[in-house]
Amino acid sequence: MQLEPRENISISRVILAPLTAILAAFVICSALILWTGESVFEAYGHLFKGAFGSRFAISETLNRATPLIFTGLAAAVAFRAKFWNIGAEGQLYFGALAATVLGAGVITMPSILMIPFLFLAGAIAGGLALLGPVFLKTTLKVDEVVTTLLLNFVILLFVNYLLEGPLKDPMSMGWPQAAAIIDEGVLPALLPRTRLHIGFVVALSAAVMIWALMRYTIWGYEIRAVGANANAARFAGISINRTVMLVAMLSGGLAGMAGITETAGTKGYLTLDLSPGFGYSGIAVAMLANLHPLGVIVSAIFLAGIYVGSDSMSRAVNIPTYISDVMVALCVLSVLVSLLFVKYRVRWK
Amino acid sequence: MADLRINGVTKRFGTLTANDNVSLSVAGGEVVALLGENGAGKTTLMNILFGHYVADEGSVEIDGKTLPPGSTDAAIKAGVGMVHQHFTLAENLSVLDNIMLGTESLFSLTSKVGAARKKLQHLAKEYNLEVHPDALVGSLSVGERQRVEILKVLYRGARILILDEPTAVLTPAETEQLFVNLKNMVASGMSIIFISHKLHEILAISDRVTVLRHGAVVGEVATKDADRALLAEMMVGRKVSRPKAEIISAGEPIVELEKISIKGDKGMPMLLNEVSLTIRQNEIVAIAGVAGNGQRELAALLSGMQKPDGGSLLVEGKPVTKNNPNRFLQMGFGRIPEDRHHTGTVGEMNVWENLISEKLRQSPLWRYGRIIDFDACRKKAAELIEQFDIRCNGMETETRLLSGGNMQKLILARTLTADPKFILANQPVRGLDEGAIAFVHEQLLNARASGVGILLISEDLDEIFSIADQVAVIYHGRLSPLLNVRETDIGTIGAMMGGHMKEVA
């Protein structure tokens, strides 16, 4: 068996391959569902209904997709330049810290200013969280996979300390949570009587902006060139260090904004369980989208649908919610394999 | 006696026919040269013979027995041995270890080192291929490493030896030594298939020549009836002649190196040792030398990719302080890198994106600060594709899909369109076919005529003697004085490439 690169890649193949792969992942998953003794169709029916079957379900799915779009973009931008930022989780919490420190009453502005201010602060905080790893990478060539990954735990423990100490809300009746974001800073709801807030719209526009940046600007060109062949990019006069710095600030900033949508939008205050691993899931989102910024929107909503839907599936039939993690993993794996087949054809001999 | 026949082999890759009904035979005691341009199907054919590929049609016979297709094992057992262009040796193992690697059973607890050593010494003596069995391969010269490669296939009982561009990395003296060794082997009844596109070597070593073009055999001649012009015409399919440099007098100095040094890793010798060199307008200065004697560092320095550890670099009389590629581009440096794939282009980006990569930061290609002006870029790219005859399936094609010659034309187009004052051409025709070589040389000579100073780094003395004005030899990081090409000859330069500097200086 041999792989040969395809010369012309048709658009229909690019679109059909991942869809087939996802279908395959669901078929494989049905074996696990059969194992539990439940009906596959019933289970998937509950999953779909729970994710997209009602106004409430859709709003919950989109609400869950919001931070995933941000962390997905964070991974997509960074991975495009082969900067392996695995630290979106920590950067998210740094953004959330910024929201808490600046948005819980220290500064008061009308909503129209307060909300953009919080997003900006979150982005800067997220970028700052990456400053150390970038510096170590550009000066000492320290592998950013290690530094960004380990920094997640450092930041999480730091947040833990703050929530038990200096930032602990005295009104929280002993719970480790910070003071609530003031009303002016809270993201208004998009649909009445749901948790869906304008953070979703901000996420969508961020995706469009990143897409345009990558496609139409010299920065995007440089990021793509550095990612595809850093040596040739440097030879052509592109500064690798500057490009890595730019990518890191974009990536960290986007992850930091996910912290804003969660503290100022969904939750209203910072807790230690603010993110059920949005930073890590962002990597799956980006991979599923083949690092395409607009694809991130679709794949974030899809993964959010699985997470939200599996909750209601597990309530309806006797299947643990962990099945959602298996599904996501299988989807990512099969889509990655399918993308290989988009680029290469197999020759049997 | 080994008798090889390839019968009507056809191999298709998608729409491309790499081998079209190719037949070839080699008898024991014979050297057959396989001549063809890049992409003519030489390597594919040898891969089929060696069992790496399965032919769509046709078969391979050895001593009258058909080889099972797709089995490398069977090919080795039948006595086929391949010496690849790029060596497949482990540098941190000894010669003996390298040769035994893979020949011992995985499940045997005892190692037969003693027997292996004896066999190796016997082979070395028989074919006059002297190497020390316990020397580390990393410490051997390129010529010695090739000897190890040949010993390796002999050790496995090869009687039909395939040599893929064996002289690419050798000095002229080492090449001669190789030819002596090959003749010894042939005399003892072995057969050799010698793959090359260097005509004079083929004329020197082979008994017969088979010429491949576009995957098909276009001719077979006995070497005694062939000459250079005939072979070149058969290979290319039309008459080609490489352009020659006309004599013009050089102008003002453009780039001056003054005692430039670049240190090696700790404990290793200097990579460049007080190299001084001046390149003037209207002049092509060539650096000859065997690969790995400091050319890479010299090229990196003049591309802006590396800082010197000592000495100074002057451009039009002014010292250069900032060493980065962008700064060098601004100073009017054009650079043709050695490695088209790794350094010259970004394979996954489009042809037009690569054509403008060095120009992108200059004004007419962007608007509003940082937005790429697609129309201007595409217009510029279309002009260059037309002007330099870059054959591609439209400018949106991914650059990795281009052939070597077209990729080189792309780099040349990008370099020349910037109106450089100085061009660094590092192995500009390596791996190109005759047509493309003539094109590249013509462009470089035109640039020279219009006042550009050019530094040509090359291992190909034919190239140097056809287009350069002056030549210096680099050996272990030191540079010989410049010699006028018209007042020296290939033999002298060849000797200097082997380290015999004193005879000249």
Side-chain angles (χ1 to χ4, degrees):
Chain A
M1 181 184 141
Q2 221 171 15
L3 292 177
E4 284 178 11
R6 289 179 200 272
E7 306 209 335
N8 293 308
I9 297 165
S10 65
I11 296 290
S12 61
R13 198 187 297 275
V14 174
I15 294 168
L16 279 178
L19 293 181
T20 319
I22 284 167
L23 202 66
F26 273 83
V27 171
I28 298 169
C29 258
S30 45
L32 289 176
I33 294 173
L34 283 175
W35 196 7
T36 65
E38 300 291 337
S39 151
V40 173
F41 288 102
E42 203 188 331
Y44 280 142
H46 284 296
L47 179 87
F48 183 80
K49 242 194 278 170
F52 302 104
S54 64
R55 192 182 102 111
F56 174 75
I58 293 175
S59 77
E60 272 303 296
T61 298
L62 296 185
N63 179 54
R64 182 74 74 100
T66 303
L68 286 178
I69 293 176
F70 278 116
T71 54
L73 286 173
V77 168
F79 292 4
R80 250 297 135 86
K82 299 228 166 81
F83 177 78
W84 307 110
N85 176 17
I86 316 291
E89 188 77 1
Q91 291 136 30
L92 182 152
Y93 274 101
F94 245 54
L97 270 183
T100 302
V101 171
L102 297 170
V106 179
I107 300 166
T108 309
M109 284 187 276
S111 270
I112 191 104
L113 294 176
M114 191 69 190
I115 289 168
F117 168 75
L118 285 183
F119 269 106
L120 183 70
I124 292 173
L128 283 177
L130 256 177
L131 218 51
V134 173
F135 181 73
L136 287 171
K137 180 186 170 73
T138 52
T139 56
L140 298 172
K141 297 197 166 68
V142 178
D143 192 341
E144 73 275 14
V145 173
V146 177
T147 51
T148 53
L149 177 65
L150 293 183
L151 209 51
N152 283 340
F153 307 109
V154 176
I155 290 175
L156 217 62
L157 288 169
F158 179 60
V159 170
N160 195 354
Y161 153 74
L162 290 177
L163 289 183
E164 296 286 359
L167 283 184
K168 189 172 185 172
D169 183 8
M171 315 291 284
S172 71
M173 321 219 287
W175 292 100
Q177 67 185 45
I181 305 296
I182 53 170
D183 288 349
E184 287 84 348
V186 169
L187 306 182
L190 215 48
L191 284 174
R193 287 173 290 113
T194 67
R195 296 204 297 171
L196 185 62
H197 49 78
I198 59 152
F200 181 65
V201 180
V202 181
L204 291 186
S205 30
V208 173
M209 271 157 65
I210 293 292
W211 170 74
L213 176 102
M214 294 299 273
R215 195 178 150 79
Y216 293 107
T217 70
I218 291 183
W219 292 306
Y221 177 98
E222 293 183 344
I223 291 170
R224 284 183 293 131
V226 168
N229 183 343
N231 192 52
R234 182 165 162 245
F235 185 81
I238 296 167
S239 163
I240 306 284
N241 284 353
R242 228 185 46 209
T243 307
V244 167
M245 183 57 106
L246 169 72
V247 164
M249 291 305 111
L250 277 174
S251 178
L254 286 161
M257 288 203 225
I260 302 298
T261 65
E262 293 317 281
T263 29
T266 309
K267 275 254 166 68
Y269 48 85
L270 173 60
T271 60
L272 207 57
D273 58 358
L274 183 75
S275 157
F278 287 131
Y280 301 107
S281 304
I283 294 169
V285 169
M287 289 305 212
L288 214 50
N290 197 17
L291 308 187
H292 193 293
L294 297 183
V296 162
I297 299 175
V298 180
S299 71
I301 292 173
F302 173 71
L303 288 198
I306 291 183
Y307 286 129
V308 172
S310 68
D311 282 346
S312 62
M313 176 173 76
S314 76
R315 278 193 296 273
V317 291
N318 190 20
I319 299 169
T321 53
Y322 298 116
I323 193 95
S324 64
D325 289 325
V326 178
M327 266 183 211
V328 170
L330 276 173
C331 284
V332 171
L333 282 176
S334 56
V335 165
L336 287 181
V337 171
S338 81
L339 290 175
L340 188 76
F341 290 127
V342 169
K343 268 194 143 177
Y344 299 91
R345 76 167 67 85
V346 182
R347 284 179 68 92
W348 301 95
K349 36 181 221 183
Chain B
M1 285 298 184
D3 211 8
L4 168 79
R5 306 184 71 83
I6 295 174
N7 299 319
V9 162
T10 298
K11 174 74 182 171
R12 295 183 200 89
F13 294 104
T15 55
L16 179 91
T17 307
N19 282 153
D20 186 4
N21 194 21
V22 174
S23 297
L24 178 81
S25 68
V26 192
E30 195 182 27
V31 180
V32 172
L34 192 57
L35 174 68
E37 299 195 300
N38 283 312
K42 295 172 296 194
T43 308
T44 308
L45 186 64
M46 289 307 116
N47 278 326
I48 289 168
L49 166 58
F50 204 57
H52 282 314
Y53 291 162
V54 177
D56 297 329
E57 290 161 31
S59 63
V60 178
E61 276 176 30
I62 289 173
D63 295 332
K65 270 178 256 155
T66 306
L67 282 186
S71 166
T72 313
D73 263 359
I76 291 175
K77 283 213 179 80
V80 180
M82 187 146 176
V83 175
H84 293 270
Q85 186 179 353
H86 303 287
F87 300 149
T88 50
L89 298 171
E91 292 195 3
N92 52 351
L93 294 182
S94 74
V95 170
L96 188 64
D97 288 341
N98 263 289
I99 284 170
M100 291 174 63
L101 208 61
T103 62
E104 295 214 300
S105 167
L106 197 61
F107 304 103
S108 161
L109 287 174
T110 53
S111 166
K112 299 178 181 65
V113 186
R117 181 188 298 271
K118 268 209 184 102
K119 188 173 170 188
L120 175 64
Q121 278 162 344
H122 176 73
L123 281 171
K125 204 163 219 155
E126 187 178 346
Y127 296 105
N128 196 20
L129 293 163
E130 292 297 336
V131 268
H132 198 286
D134 297 316
L136 276 189
V137 166
S139 69
L140 300 182
S141 75
V142 179
E144 289 171 315
R145 285 184 204 197
Q146 190 170 51
R147 247 173 272 162
V148 177
E149 279 280 353
I150 294 174
L151 279 169
K152 196 163 91 178
V153 297
L154 292 178
Y155 184 84
R156 289 169 199 214
R159 295 167 302 140
I160 302 164
L161 205 60
I162 306 168
L163 297 160
D164 188 4
E165 304 264 356
T167 61
V169 288
L170 302 184
T171 62
E174 284 172 326
T175 302
E176 261 170 50
Q177 180 60 43
L178 171 70
F179 284 5
V180 171
N181 294 337
L182 292 184
K183 282 184 176 144
N184 274 339
M185 291 178 204
V186 174
S188 69
M190 292 185 58
S191 345
I192 291 176
I193 299 179
F194 187 92
I195 304 174
S196 183
H197 61 252
K198 289 186 183 164
L199 302 174
H200 62 268
E201 291 177 356
I202 283 180
L203 289 168
I205 186 76
S206 68
D207 300 308
R208 272 190 301 129
V209 186
T210 298
V211 185
L212 278 184
R213 191 166 75 226
H214 302 311
V217 175
V218 292
E220 224 186 283
V221 284
T223 308
K224 60 178 172 13
D225 302 331
D227 62 16
R228 253 188 111 97
L230 175 76
L231 290 181
E233 202 181 325
M234 282 169 80
M235 175 167 75
V236 186
R238 62 190 148 83
K239 280 202 185 322
V240 277
S241 55
R242 294 197 190 176
K244 274 278 197 188
E246 287 166 34
I247 297 173
I248 29 178
S249 57
E252 295 294 308
I254 301 254
V255 173
E256 291 163 86
L257 282 73
E258 283 178 359
K259 296 200 169 173
I260 293 269
S261 293
I262 291 176
K263 285 188 197 135
D265 289 335
K266 238 187 194 149
M268 296 297 279
M270 301 279 277
L271 297 168
L272 284 183
N273 201 340
E274 303 205 334
V275 167
S276 297
L277 183 67
T278 302
I279 298 116
R280 292 172 297 169
Q281 289 173 325
N282 301 94
E283 182 183 55
I284 298 183
V285 174
I287 304 291
V290 178
N293 274 294
Q295 291 98 322
R296 183 179 300 160
E297 290 69 31
L298 185 62
L301 174 86
L302 289 170
S303 311
M305 302 279 275
Q306 187 162 10
K307 279 193 179 82
D309 293 316
S312 54
L313 176 66
L314 300 157
V315 175
E316 295 183 308
K318 288 189 277 288
V320 176
T321 47
K322 270 180 134 179
N323 293 75
N324 69 64
N326 201 26
R327 179 84 196 94
F328 275 53
L329 287 169
Q330 285 163 3
M331 289 190 306
F333 273 52
R335 294 117 6 107
I336 300 169
E338 176 181 23
D339 190 334
R340 294 185 274 276
H341 302 273
H342 187 228
T343 319
T345 57
V346 181
E348 286 150 53
M349 293 178 94
N350 302 335
V351 168
W352 73 264
E353 287 178 308
N354 273 295
L355 274 167
I356 55 143
S357 64
E358 291 179 352
K359 269 215 143 199
L360 196 59
R361 273 157 244 88
Q362 292 166 31
S363 173
L365 297 180
W366 50 262
R367 297 182 284 200
Y368 318 119
R370 295 259 116 185
I371 314 273
I372 296 171
D373 185 343
F374 284 84
D375 292 340
C377 288
R378 291 215 172 87
K379 200 167 141 247
K380 181 83 197 160
E383 279 170 26
L384 291 175
I385 289 172
E386 165 97 37
Q387 191 186 338
F388 286 84
D389 187 30
I390 302 169
R391 310 260 170 88
C392 58
N393 198 1
M395 66 173 85
E396 304 287 341
T397 313
E398 279 187 42
T399 307
R400 68 186 167 92
L401 298 173
L402 263 55
S403 72
N406 283 306
M407 218 180 258
Q408 196 70 333
K409 283 182 190 171
L410 186 160
I411 293 168
L412 206 59
R414 182 176 71 195
T415 305
L416 291 175
T417 189
D419 285 325
K421 294 180 202 143
F422 168 80
I423 295 175
L424 164 75
N426 190 3
Q427 314 288 359
V429 301
R430 175 184 282 172
L432 299 190
D433 58 48
E434 282 293 325
I437 290 175
F439 182 85
V440 171
H441 281 175
E442 210 172 300
Q443 295 292 334
L444 289 177
L445 287 171
N446 287 345
R448 162 181 175 262
S450 69
V452 179
I454 297 173
L455 184 75
L456 169 71
I457 299 179
S458 178
E459 286 155 31
D460 181 354
L461 294 181
D462 283 348
E463 174 178 33
I464 290 174
F465 277 83
S466 65
I467 66 168
D469 299 290
Q470 306 215 66
V471 58
V473 176
I474 193 162
Y475 184 75
H476 288 186
R478 287 182 184 276
L479 200 63
S480 77
L482 280 175
L483 300 171
N484 190 324
V485 168
R486 289 168 201 90
E487 291 162 10
T488 180
D489 57 66
I490 290 195
T492 315
I493 301 298
M496 288 165 72
M497 281 165 72
H500 304 286
M501 295 275 189
K502 283 179 200 126
E503 294 162 26
V504 192

